[in-house]
Amino acid sequence: MARWTAADIPDLTGRNAVVTGASEGVGFHTALELARHGARVVLASRDRGRGEAAAARIRAETGGGAAEWLALDLGDLASIDRFAAGLTAARGGPERLDLLVNNAGVMALPRQTTADGFERQFGVNHLGHFALTGLLLPELLARPGARVVTVTSGLHRSGRMDFDDLMGERRYGKFSAYTQSKLANVLFALELHRRATAAGTDLVSAIAHPGVARTNLARTGDPLRGLLVTLAKLPAQPAAAGALPQLYAAAAPGVGGGDFFGPDGFAERRGHPTKVRPAARALDRDAARRLWEASEELTGVRFSAFDRDGVRP
């Protein structure tokens, strides 16, 4: 994959994709390049104005590429349920889905809760994507070799799962809550791969991180944190470059379940996509199973489409 760029994406005509958080930043550039290469792309985000403007920009820049916006608030389980149902209704029947890119996220927030009472960083970054993936699983399994790309951060390596206080009710740190949610992303993606394999499916669950890219992610935190994050990002690569690892995971031939991609430069901060290794904590299968079970309990979403002949992985 030496110096792989978006120009190397193969023809995606006939493929259906959903990209969360696609109104701006690396999510926008991911959706743009998928549409440029022929995919029908749904941009899933909260803000109608920004979402519809992003979809219109993609159609303009691609000469009429298929891009549309649908409302999705990953901090609201009811919104996630409506999105999953609406994805089918918008097309007048069951929708087959080739690609789900779990890209959206928030960072370094003062403690807040979602509509369902979850700590917001864990709720949006992990639980929202867990629920969305579970609800869209039947559509993904209907397409041979469908992919789920879960976007994390290189900072997952600093994360620790506090199963006794997942919501930070006893003790909360903005940055530790963020890195916990990013570690949860990797644990989830690897467990999804194991369960997909055990169920005898060909679903590919891959992982990517953008390195250090110029985006508006830090604006969701307080001004001091935003300043610190901005300083830490200097020098940073453009959002279009930050999108390359997840585009590789989403579209390059030969990507396998459990593969993890990030930039090939120093400390994985910038560069072209390459395979990278997750933190040792992300390889803890007991922690992954525990997180999965907690996520099922919290969201009420079971990946029942994996059940075959009464066998559960």
Side-chain angles (χ1 to χ4, degrees):
M1 67 181 76
R3 301 194 69 78
W4 189 92
T5 72
D8 297 306
I9 296 172
D11 182 18
L12 301 176
T13 301
R15 304 287 182 89
N16 298 313
V18 169
V19 182
T20 69
S23 295
E24 57 189 351
V26 295
F28 170 80
H29 287 282
T30 298
L32 172 65
E33 295 302 336
L34 293 174
R36 194 191 304 280
H37 290 82
R40 295 174 60 203
V41 184
V42 171
L43 287 69
S45 64
R46 289 188 300 163
D47 188 278
R48 175 184 291 274
R50 286 202 297 265
E52 291 184 341
R57 180 181 164 192
I58 288 173
R59 291 191 295 270
E61 291 194 21
T62 60
E68 64 178 307
W69 172 83
L70 285 179
L72 173 66
D73 183 350
L74 288 162
D76 184 344
L77 291 175
S79 173
I80 296 168
D81 190 63
R82 286 193 298 271
F83 175 86
L87 193 65
T88 296
R91 289 160 181 77
E95 175 72 358
R96 293 185 175 184
L97 184 61
D98 299 275
L99 173 64
L100 171 61
V101 182
N102 289 324
N103 163 82
V106 293
M107 180 181 187
L109 300 173
R111 193 177 188 282
Q112 303 171 11
T113 55
T114 68
D116 304 286
F118 308 139
E119 185 278 311
R120 188 162 184 80
Q121 295 190 83
F122 187 73
V124 169
N125 296 355
H126 168 64
L127 290 175
H129 283 124
F130 178 93
L132 179 66
T133 305
L135 292 173
L136 295 181
L137 187 62
E139 287 71 27
L140 288 160
L141 294 181
R143 296 292 266 189
R147 299 185 189 183
V148 177
V149 178
T150 300
V151 180
T152 184
S153 164
L155 293 173
H156 82 279
R157 295 183 173 88
S158 301
R160 288 174 171 76
M161 299 304 305
D162 186 351
F163 287 107
D164 295 324
D165 190 24
L166 282 173
M167 303 304 163
E169 294 172 303
R170 288 182 238 162
R171 183 172 59 184
Y172 182 76
K174 291 175 288 188
F175 197 69
S176 59
Y178 175 71
T179 58
Q180 174 182 249
S181 74
K182 294 288 99 181
L183 175 58
N185 289 151
V186 185
L187 288 166
F188 162 63
L190 293 177
E191 184 67 6
L192 177 61
H193 162 58
R194 287 188 284 266
R195 289 176 183 247
T197 301
T201 76
D202 61 357
L203 179 73
V204 173
S205 174
I207 316 161
H209 83 81
V212 179
R214 289 190 292 273
T215 73
N216 289 325
L217 181 63
R219 76 179 180 195
T220 54
D222 61 64
L224 177 59
R225 174 59 66 188
L227 174 62
L228 292 175
V229 171
T230 299
L231 291 174
K233 287 185 174 184
L234 298 175
Q237 61 185 350
L244 290 177
Q246 59 205 62
L247 281 166
Y248 190 97
V255 172
D259 286 352
F260 187 6
F261 302 96
D264 62 1
F266 175 73
E268 299 174 21
R269 292 175 62 88
R270 56 188 298 146
H272 292 266
T274 191
K275 270 193 181 181
V276 297
R277 287 189 57 80
R281 292 188 194 95
L283 303 176
D284 185 335
R285 294 192 177 203
D286 289 336
R289 283 192 292 269
R290 190 173 180 185
L291 175 65
W292 188 283
E293 291 165 3
S295 301
E296 285 185 327
E297 184 67 26
L298 289 165
T299 65
V301 174
R302 267 69 176 173
F303 286 55
S304 55
F306 280 153
D307 296 352
R308 294 190 174 184
D309 300 321
V311 176
R312 289 182 62 87

